[in-house]
Amino acid sequence: MTSMTAHGDPAFTARQPVLETRGLTKSYGGLVAVNNVDLKVFDGEPHAIIGPNGAGKSSLINLLTGHIPPTAGEIMFGGRNIAGLPAHKVARLGIGRSYQRTNIYPSLTCYENCWLAAQARRHHSFSFILPARRHDDLHDIVEDALVRAGLGSRIDAVASKMSYGEQRQLEIAMVLATGPQLLALDEPLAGMGREEAEKVIQLLVSLGKSYPLLLIEHDMDAVFSIAHTMTVMVNGVVIATGPVAEVRSNPMVQEAYLGDLREKY
Amino acid sequence: MSLSLFLVQVFNGLQYGLILFLIASGLTLIFGIMGIINLAHGAFYMLGAYVAFGIAQSSGSLVLAVLGAVATMAALGFVIERVLIGRLYNRNHLDQVLITFGLILVFDEAQRIIWGSDVHSVAIPPALSSSFQVSDIMAFSYYRIFVTVVCAVLAVTMALVIQKTKLGMWIRAGASNREMVSSLGVDINMLFALVFAAGAALTGFAGAISVPLTSVSPGMGDAIIIISFVVVVIGGVGSIKGAFFGALLIGLADTFGRVLLPQFSSFLVYAIMAGVLLWRPQGLFARA
Amino acid sequence: MTFFNNRWGYLIGAVIVALVAAFPLLKGTMNANLHEFFLQQITYIMIFGLLCMSLDLLVGIVGLVSMGHAAFYGLGAYLLILLTPQYSTPSILTTIPLVLGGVAAIALVIGAFALRTSGLYFIMVTLAVGQMFYYFFNDSKLAGGSDGVYLFAKPTLEIGGRTLINLESKVQFFYVSLGVLLVSFAILRLMLESPFGKVIRGIGINEYRTRGLGYDVYFYKLIAFVIAAVFAGLAGVLGAVQYGFVNPSMLGWHMSGIALVTVILGGMGSLIGPVLGAAFIEVIRYALEHATQHWLLLFGSLIIIMVLAFPRGLAGLGEQLAPLFRKSRAGAEAKPLPEKVDA
């Protein structure tokens, strides 16, 4: 299925990916964690990356978000190569990342967690005297992010006192508050019960409509209901990529990964 | 600088570097294996020197003094690990800093109570008191040569133990992965206590054997521990190899600094540390 | 200290300040020597409290354990002497800002290096740098070496030929120290509520996440490091003025270590707690010093016992004092481990 960007003349503008990697590679000594990966993420086409443990998914997202520098290859985002930029610069350019293990400010409230996230979109925070709460342009952004992530009623809850599922939602709310151009979510459903997961899946489906979305996920059902495009990685290598239905029926994928998964789970 | 002066300085630098290595290797291993920052490590140097001084005073034998100091420091290290340090493994660095800082106050004051605040010296044993003339004004002291050889032998022995023996394998494995060592069925508590005691003994030895060269004074532990921290930072925490090269580098730099840039010699060591931090913030031989 | 954030806390704080401020007025009611002795002691507690407050900004807020903070305290003191033209009176209006500027510049350089490291390395590097200054002043002839150096005259504030403040007066100096402490506290509290303050608190709670959100953590830490150093330098200026004398022990690691102990004891992250801790430590020191000549033995043992006696560490108590935006009691959890970057 080939969709054209809504604007622009299809005859002249080829579809521009929001994020594209070319030959992205990360090796640690002899071990190649991510091997020559080409990846394209398009707006309106939520993209899931799946693969067994040790397939290099985590390394890939860490490369994309600047948490580790690549050994080789390019990461094109916003019209420039961002490979090798440090994490905070990548975040500023608009790749909003959530973490596999909950990574929040436990002693702060939801509101404060998101405030710090929203404040990060400012050019700088070297403002020393005027109290932060007087910078009320951020207030709406914070509330909006919390409502979108389904935490509208938990604004003043202290993060460490919330349920695990709510903490995962907060993780996403914080990403939204940074005003991202692209969401890169690392196993947003990790460790959740069925019911909690269902709620977050609905949330991700709706986010997929407003943001370019890159998702690393183990949960197959979730991937099928959220993603439009799917990339399968095994041992650091992409073995298949394309529309979900197509990849799903790819015999190589069936054998290498899906069959294996069915046995496992 | 004439060739003979240069050689003497190289030799003095190596001798000082080897002494530093004996201290820093314990420090870096204790951190690497146990995750403990021990500010009080310098106290073993100071106490080792004072114990040696005490024994030498009463017995007149430096050999006896050094052996006594090593045994005392090993025992003290073992007890301190069992009683105090062993409680710190699950504490954060801040608690470790505070407790080992408290220990420094205790040790320093204990030293003042036992030996007082005076500076003392111990004569070089007569058999080694002469020196080897290189030129009219330059000489290698036989005692320095002796210290250098002994320290080098110890360093090589330590390298062999760590590289070749089972104990060494556990220590190396412990420095990179503590869980793995416990899963090998090693009594981790005993291993920790032994490594700590060995570190204390080596440091005590360094203090004792330096006594005839440097004399004993109350602040001697403080000065040496800071330089040892610099060595560990330069070499990379947990790396014996790093401690070795770091110690030699600092030993040589300090010795040459005193001759060539006497006004800045105390800065030179820190300038090297700053340079290393700029280049490789995790130290030259840091584990990945 | 949450306690001091509620209305009662402010009231009690105000009462304490009022009582302290009234102390010089008690002059006629007691033995004059005793009165002067207490005046000196309280002044010193305020100065040492300011040093601990500035260290708390690093340890309790940003989560940077510095073992070399006294270096900036001592540098403030030494720079006051070195930057005052010989045989003249330092001016509060010109010399002191110059001193603080000097401390800031040095802290910027030191911080730029030291903050390339973290955790254990940071502790060792700050310790080493602190000792570097100690040995510099101890060994060089620049400022009296290990004997220390005297301040020729105490600073004054003169406007239009009239002397408004003259620190030769112990009572004036007492009030100036109190004023400096209160204003410093107010400035730091205000700063912690600002966007910058939120970020450095965020770094203290979860540095990894703060970086992931898009903050250049290094620069925020560096600025906080410089700010903490400047307040320590200010305390050092007051320390030099109080005794009219500066020696290398002001910069040494014993000073840094005791300041660190005081911060933990008083309660990390509260800014005011360390000032109360300073009063507590000084009282203990005084009591022990008078009990035995070897009081450091007892003092060291006391530190060990106190840290051991709190299974979660005294630091655990301090972490509960982390309310950043709100004024209610916050549940504090251990810091989440930063997610490991796996291969």
Side-chain angles (χ1 to χ4, degrees):
Chain A
M1 145 178 182
T2 48
S3 70
M4 298 292 175
T5 38
H7 43 83
D9 188 345
F12 289 97
T13 28
R15 264 184 345 146
Q16 281 295 317
V18 180
L19 175 82
E20 180 178 3
T21 70
R22 297 176 196 143
L24 192 61
T25 300
K26 176 72 190 179
S27 53
Y28 298 94
L31 175 79
V32 185
V34 174
N35 195 345
N36 205 19
V37 166
D38 296 329
L39 192 74
K40 285 180 181 175
V41 180
F42 294 96
D43 193 9
E45 298 178 12
H47 192 136
I49 294 173
I50 63 167
N53 281 326
K57 304 183 304 278
S58 295
S59 295
L60 180 64
I61 199 164
N62 281 330
L63 287 171
L64 295 179
T65 54
H67 283 79
I68 51 177
T71 314
E74 292 181 342
I75 304 168
M76 301 302 297
F77 179 75
R80 57 183 286 201
N81 181 10
I82 61 165
L85 287 185
H88 68 268
K89 288 206 173 136
V90 174
R92 282 190 164 270
L93 288 172
I95 299 187
R97 186 222 168 132
S98 79
Y99 296 81
Q100 185 181 347
R101 264 181 265 169
T102 311
N103 192 359
I104 54 180
Y105 301 103
S107 53
L108 305 186
T109 65
C110 281
Y111 187 84
E112 294 156 1
N113 268 276
C114 287
W115 184 286
L116 267 170
Q119 197 180 290
R121 64 167 73 194
R122 288 162 171 267
H123 180 53
H124 66 78
S125 293
F126 292 110
S127 163
F128 296 90
I129 297 300
L130 190 64
R133 61 184 123 74
R134 300 269 288 278
H135 297 257
D136 48 7
D137 51 318
L138 296 183
H139 177 76
D140 295 342
I141 296 169
V142 170
E143 280 208 338
D144 182 54
L146 284 167
V147 169
R148 294 185 81 163
L151 290 171
S153 60
R154 303 287 274 148
I155 285 179
D156 288 321
V158 174
S160 62
K161 300 268 162 73
M162 300 198 305
S163 74
Y164 178 73
E166 284 176 326
Q167 293 186 3
R168 303 295 305 178
Q169 283 168 267
L170 177 57
E171 181 87 43
I172 294 172
M174 287 168 76
V175 176
L176 296 180
T178 60
Q181 309 294 312
L182 169 87
L183 299 181
L185 307 181
D186 192 357
E187 302 204 22
L189 303 175
M192 277 192 188
R194 233 326 99 187
E195 210 170 295
E196 286 178 324
E198 218 39 71
K199 228 166 115 183
V200 174
I201 290 174
Q202 289 314 311
L203 168 62
L204 295 179
V205 169
S206 78
L207 288 179
K209 290 178 183 135
S210 9
Y211 294 95
L213 178 66
L214 178 72
L215 179 73
I216 285 180
E217 192 46 72
H218 257 323
D219 185 332
M220 277 306 121
D221 295 336
V223 167
F224 295 145
S225 44
I226 299 165
H228 169 281
T229 312
M230 182 156 103
T231 294
V232 183
M233 284 179 79
V234 173
N235 290 330
V237 180
V238 170
I239 64 164
T241 186
V244 168
E246 212 171 90
V247 172
R248 199 178 180 181
S249 55
N250 179 330
M252 208 161 76
V253 175
Q254 291 273 338
E255 191 184 335
Y257 180 63
L258 294 180
D260 184 45
L261 252 200
R262 287 218 183 88
E263 278 163 35
K264 260 198 194 152
Y265 297 98
Chain B
M1 185 185 278
S2 69
L3 183 66
S4 58
L5 177 61
F6 177 79
L7 284 177
V8 168
Q9 295 309 327
V10 167
F11 170 71
N12 286 346
L14 288 179
Q15 181 258 317
Y16 180 44
L18 284 166
I19 291 281
L20 281 179
F21 171 67
L22 293 185
I23 302 160
S25 58
L27 204 58
T28 202
L29 271 187
I30 287 166
F31 177 73
I33 300 178
M34 312 179 190
I36 293 280
I37 173 167
N38 180 19
L39 296 186
H41 198 69
F44 295 124
Y45 179 80
M46 182 267 293
L47 290 176
Y50 269 97
V51 169
F53 157 73
I55 297 176
Q57 281 290 73
S58 49
S59 75
S61 160
L62 189 66
V63 175
L64 214 58
V66 171
L67 290 179
V70 169
T72 316
M73 287 310 109
L76 182 64
F78 190 81
V79 171
I80 293 282
E81 200 281 341
R82 297 268 88 170
V83 175
L84 216 52
I85 304 292
R87 296 170 198 274
L88 296 180
Y89 294 130
N90 297 320
R91 298 290 193 91
N92 55 34
H93 290 323
L94 186 53
D95 285 3
Q96 298 172 2
V97 165
L98 295 176
I99 288 197
T100 53
F101 175 71
L103 262 184
I104 292 176
L105 299 185
V106 171
F107 282 147
D108 281 358
E109 200 58 45
Q111 173 269 314
R112 269 189 283 267
I113 292 172
I114 302 173
W115 290 286
S117 301
D118 297 336
V119 175
H120 300 281
S121 55
V122 169
I124 292 173
L128 295 168
S129 62
S130 58
S131 52
F132 170 70
Q133 292 295 130
V134 253
S135 69
D136 296 344
I137 46 162
M138 290 296 149
F140 289 122
S141 140
Y142 280 127
Y143 187 72
R144 275 188 196 274
I145 296 174
F146 168 73
V147 169
T148 309
V149 170
V150 173
C151 289
V153 167
L154 267 177
V156 170
T157 310
M158 198 184 340
L160 286 177
V161 167
I162 285 176
Q163 292 301 327
K164 304 285 181 196
T165 66
K166 203 165 194 178
L167 177 71
M169 189 193 73
W170 293 335
I171 290 173
R172 274 180 295 136
S176 49
N177 190 341
R178 271 194 271 175
E179 289 78 27
M180 198 170 89
V181 176
S182 351
S183 70
L184 289 173
V186 176
D187 181 351
I188 199 100
N189 289 331
M190 195 42 81
L191 180 67
F192 282 5
L194 288 178
V195 170
F196 196 87
L202 278 174
T203 305
F205 174 80
I209 203 159
S210 303
V211 166
L213 296 174
T214 59
S215 76
V216 290
S217 58
M220 65 188 291
D222 286 2
I224 203 92
I225 190 70
I226 301 295
I227 297 293
S228 302
F229 275 127
V230 171
V231 167
V232 171
V233 168
I234 287 177
V237 168
S239 164
I240 286 283
K241 199 167 143 196
F244 183 74
F245 288 107
L248 291 191
L249 178 64
I250 291 301
L252 287 169
D254 191 66
T255 308
F256 275 94
R258 279 174 207 281
V259 177
L260 298 176
L261 305 161
Q263 297 93 337
F264 302 102
S265 70
S266 54
F267 266 117
L268 189 62
V269 165
Y270 301 101
I272 291 175
M273 180 180 79
V276 169
L277 288 179
L278 270 185
W279 180 35
R280 299 189 65 161
Q282 297 304 306
L284 296 180
F285 294 88
R287 293 175 278 118
Chain C
M1 208 165 263
T2 13
F3 183 71
F4 281 88
N5 286 338
N6 63 35
R7 205 173 302 156
W8 282 104
Y10 279 119
L11 190 64
I12 292 171
V15 170
I16 293 177
V17 170
L19 285 177
V20 170
F23 184 78
L25 306 177
L26 298 178
K27 191 164 182 174
T29 65
M30 61 175 86
N31 178 307
N33 286 336
L34 195 65
H35 184 265
E36 187 172 329
F37 169 77
F38 276 124
L39 197 70
Q40 286 265 10
Q41 290 298 308
I42 297 173
T43 308
Y44 180 72
I45 286 171
M46 294 190 293
I47 295 170
F48 182 55
L50 178 60
L51 170 67
C52 295
M53 187 192 285
S54 70
L55 179 60
D56 190 30
L57 181 68
L58 289 184
V59 181
I61 308 289
V62 197
L64 289 169
V65 179
S66 169
M67 259 306 274
H69 199 57
F72 301 111
Y73 177 68
L75 276 172
Y78 271 106
L79 283 182
L80 177 66
I81 287 170
L82 295 175
L83 293 178
T84 304
Q86 213 169 9
Y87 307 120
S88 62
T89 303
S91 151
I92 290 177
L93 274 184
T94 56
T95 314
I96 291 180
L98 207 61
V99 168
L100 299 183
V103 171
I106 294 170
L108 191 68
V109 176
I110 303 286
F113 281 98
L115 289 167
R116 287 177 63 80
T117 66
S118 59
L120 177 93
Y121 279 90
F122 184 78
I123 298 173
M124 294 198 287
V125 170
T126 48
L127 179 59
V129 169
Q131 287 308 96
M132 174 181 85
F133 284 109
Y134 173 82
Y135 287 114
F136 175 76
F137 284 106
N138 198 61
D139 298 345
S140 88
K141 294 187 183 72
L142 186 64
S146 58
D147 293 335
V149 61
Y150 285 92
L151 186 62
F152 178 74
K154 296 190 175 179
T156 53
L157 177 63
E158 286 179 32
I159 292 174
R162 287 180 48 202
T163 304
L164 297 180
I165 298 176
N166 183 356
L167 298 184
E168 295 287 352
S169 152
K170 289 201 170 75
V171 171
Q172 278 196 29
F173 183 64
F174 175 91
Y175 282 117
V176 166
S177 300
L178 180 63
V180 167
L181 181 67
L182 291 177
V183 170
S184 301
F185 176 65
I187 290 174
L188 288 175
R189 273 304 283 267
L190 209 59
M191 190 192 78
L192 285 184
E193 292 299 318
S194 75
F196 173 78
K198 306 276 187 200
V199 177
I200 58 173
R201 276 220 142 135
I203 292 170
I205 300 170
N206 188 343
E207 176 172 346
Y208 183 69
R209 180 65 199 227
T210 309
R211 186 179 295 123
L213 285 176
Y215 294 105
D216 190 346
V217 166
Y218 176 80
F219 279 104
Y220 287 90
K221 289 202 282 194
L222 183 56
I223 299 299
F225 188 83
V226 172
I227 292 172
V230 167
F231 281 99
L234 186 56
V237 168
L238 294 176
V241 172
Q242 179 170 26
Y243 295 109
F245 173 69
V246 178
N247 73 6
S249 73
M250 281 180 86
L251 307 121
W253 70 332
H254 279 231
M255 193 73 192
S256 295
I258 287 181
L260 200 55
V261 170
T262 308
V263 169
I264 308 310
L265 219 60
M268 284 200 308
S270 62
L271 296 184
I272 197 70
V275 181
L276 300 179
F280 182 64
I281 287 277
E282 281 309 305
V283 171
I284 289 185
R285 185 209 291 262
Y286 182 78
L288 293 181
E289 253 174 342
H290 281 254
T292 161
Q293 182 193 350
H294 301 293
W295 68 281
L296 277 171
L297 187 78
L298 296 178
F299 191 62
S301 313
L302 205 61
I303 293 172
I304 295 172
I305 292 166
M306 282 192 291
V307 178
L308 279 181
F310 295 86
R312 282 182 59 219
L314 283 172
L317 290 177
E319 268 163 24
Q320 290 172 336
L321 315 170
L324 166 47
F325 296 71
R326 68 196 168 280
K327 300 193 169 173
S328 64
R329 211 168 276 266
E333 299 272 301
K335 284 184 193 179
L337 285 171
E339 184 171 312
K340 277 209 177 111
V341 176
D342 60 5

